[in-house]
Amino acid sequence: AQSVTQPDIHITVSEGASLELRCNYSYGATPYLFWYVQSPGQGLQLLLKYFSGDTLVQGIKGFEAEFKRSQSSFNLRKPSVHWSDAAEYFCAVGRIKAAGNKLTFGGGTRVLVKP
Amino acid sequence: GAVVSQHPSWVICKSGTSVKIECRSLDFQATTMFWYRQFPKQSLMLMATSNEGSKATYEQGVEKDKFLINHASLTLSTLTVTSAHPEDSSFYICSARGSGGAFFGQGTRLTVV
């Protein structure tokens, strides 16, 4: 069975500092990987996705993620965090390409941004 | 991008009553819709998958008689929580898939008192 682990439940970062969110997955086939952001009381917004090809994926809002098959990881990064990036971030793995399909989500990482 | 609208955004109901949540794809036809549930401070768990015109497929452990899903048209799916109990209080999110991909609604926070 597929599973996704986000080891960090909370991360606090200063505005302007860099951010990295960890995601490890367990999957028996070629994984399709996604990162979503959820602002308080809101639905999910897709940040980026990886299907194949270049292992460094660029997303919206200045985020990027790198797929490392040898480490079964898909970590999310942003070079300089803005206060508006405070939210909860979910990594997800799916069997097929379309985002928002039958996905398995990680437990989420809540990001707090200090002024 | 495509818009998926959920209604209501939040609802408070009494124990024993039923609550209906609507998920609409506003500018595309959704052949498949997914319903997720999110407990406080936890991740999203898929409850069921519905295809237009057919019965929903429920994930293991989800009571189909309690969480009634109807996908009667290509733009509307409904989730009805029947005989709600306080433990049903949660954040419910739908995802609608069309030819252009899949998009999430803004979610519905249900509180059962």
Side-chain angles (χ1 to χ4, degrees):
Chain A
Q2 59 207 52
S3 66
V4 180
T5 302
Q6 292 178 245
D8 304 304
I9 298 175
H10 297 279
I11 287 183
T12 300
V13 61
S14 297
E15 191 169 12
S18 63
L19 174 69
E20 181 167 11
L21 305 182
R22 295 184 289 167
C23 173
N24 294 98
Y25 67 90
S26 172
Y27 196 66
T30 300
Y32 297 111
L33 296 159
F34 309 86
W35 272 101
Y36 288 89
V37 59
Q38 183 182 33
S39 297
Q42 302 296 312
L44 299 177
Q45 182 180 23
L46 179 66
L47 286 176
L48 49 78
K49 57 194 176 189
Y50 171 78
F51 296 154
S52 64
D54 193 344
T55 56
L56 185 62
V57 181
Q58 301 297 321
I60 63 171
K61 302 185 178 186
F63 285 93
E64 65 178 26
E66 186 171 12
F67 171 60
K68 293 185 178 180
R69 185 183 295 274
S70 61
Q71 300 178 17
S72 296
S73 69
F74 188 56
N75 294 348
L76 181 72
R77 297 193 294 256
K78 184 169 183 176
S80 178
V81 169
H82 187 261
W83 63 266
S84 60
D85 294 322
E88 184 126 24
Y89 293 80
F90 292 96
C91 179
V93 63
R95 288 181 296 171
I96 52 179
K97 291 183 178 180
N101 276 302
K102 191 171 182 176
L103 299 174
T104 299
F105 287 85
T109 299
R110 183 170 297 277
V111 173
L112 303 175
V113 180
K114 295 188 300 183
Chain B
V3 177
V4 176
S5 176
Q6 261 184 260
H7 178 81
S9 297
W10 59 271
V11 58
I12 301 173
C13 70
K14 292 184 178 180
S15 287
T17 62
S18 295
V19 175
K20 180 183 285 187
I21 301 170
E22 293 185 347
C23 180
R24 293 181 184 272
S25 55
L26 298 186
D27 50 3
F28 67 99
Q29 293 184 327
T31 52
T32 305
M33 288 191 178
F34 303 86
W35 287 95
Y36 292 85
R37 180 176 181 178
Q38 184 182 32
F39 290 101
K41 299 182 181 181
Q42 296 187 29
S43 188
L44 290 88
M45 300 297 293
L46 179 66
M47 298 175 66
T49 303
S50 73
N51 293 295
E52 186 265 337
S54 62
K55 290 184 178 180
T57 302
Y58 290 81
E59 295 299 302
Q60 192 173 9
V62 178
E63 298 175 61
K64 62 180 181 180
D65 294 329
K66 181 169 186 60
F67 299 99
L68 301 178
I69 292 173
N70 184 281
H71 193 165
S73 78
L74 286 172
T75 58
L76 174 64
S77 176
T78 60
L79 167 67
T80 301
V81 182
T82 62
S83 187
H85 289 110
E87 56 265 31
D88 298 325
S89 298
S90 191
F91 193 58
Y92 294 87
I93 303 179
C94 72
S95 171
R97 185 178 79 188
S99 59
F103 303 89
F104 283 88
Q106 74 272 34
T108 297
R109 182 162 301 285
L110 170 63
T111 302
V112 185
V113 297

